[in-house]
Amino acid sequence: MNKPSQATDNLTKPIIMYFDDACVICRTEGHNMQSRNPNGIQLMPVDEGIEELNAAGFSRVDAMTYLCVKDSDGGWHTHMDAVRLLYKTGGVPWANALYLPIVKQLGDFAYPFIARNRYRIPNWVTKTIYRDTVAEACQDGACRINPAKR
């Protein structure tokens, strides 16, 4: 696998992933990516980083709906651009495929729909992807939390 080396990780500031920590998929994927590169990825629940997000022009609603990542140079990435940066920083072997023209276009098209409807994704799908990690957090076949309580 192409994981960044420890020496490289220590030379740059980590990227910061701002995420909806009530979302099982968001939280699980964040921890998955951070475990791949602990020095390169910092996790920040939206509510803990809301002042910085607001200063960058992101509302709480947008930040809770769409992934926001601050890169090591202070630049901001959202939607699939944030996912691509997260996967690349996490050393996912196929991350570069997300930049291929057709794959990139499909991801950019599908991401907003998936992000807005992630709480409706059936439990069997999330369980298949993340195994037992989500089994305890979801009941009745889907992860559903009222958006007002996120």
Side-chain angles (χ1 to χ4, degrees):
M1 284 191 211
N2 293 332
K3 286 189 178 181
S5 69
Q6 289 293 109
T8 302
D9 290 347
N10 293 330
L11 295 176
T12 61
K13 293 169 56 177
I15 66 169
I16 304 171
M17 174 187 166
Y18 295 84
F19 67 103
D20 172 2
D21 65 341
C23 169
V24 175
I25 295 170
C26 306
R27 185 175 57 248
T28 303
E29 189 64 3
H31 287 285
N32 178 27
M33 290 296 109
Q34 186 183 45
S35 71
R36 293 170 166 271
N37 186 351
N39 296 323
I41 299 171
Q42 178 184 342
L43 302 180
M44 178 71 63
V46 167
D47 287 330
E48 290 180 27
I50 194 64
E51 288 180 19
E52 187 171 16
L53 287 159
N54 288 160
F58 299 105
S59 70
R60 182 179 184 279
V61 171
D62 285 343
M64 290 295 279
T65 304
Y66 306 107
L67 181 62
C68 297
V69 173
K70 184 176 180 183
D71 66 31
S72 58
D73 295 326
W76 288 92
H77 306 262
T78 63
H79 295 70
M80 273 305 293
D81 288 335
V83 173
R84 286 187 277 271
L85 176 60
L86 185 64
Y87 281 31
K88 191 168 185 168
T89 305
V92 174
W94 47 266
N96 286 333
L98 296 174
Y99 293 90
L100 295 173
I102 293 175
V103 176
K104 184 178 186 304
Q105 290 170 328
L106 287 172
D108 291 344
F109 177 78
Y111 178 84
F113 177 79
I114 294 168
R116 287 189 309 265
N117 293 287
R118 67 190 180 278
Y119 284 97
R120 293 185 182 100
I121 295 173
N123 189 33
W124 69 267
V125 172
T126 53
K127 192 173 179 182
T128 299
I129 295 169
Y130 297 109
R131 301 201 173 32
D132 296 330
T133 306
V134 298
E136 299 167 6
C138 301
Q139 296 177 354
D140 302 325
C143 295
R144 293 190 180 112
I145 297 175
N146 183 330
K149 294 183 179 181
R150 289 191 251 155

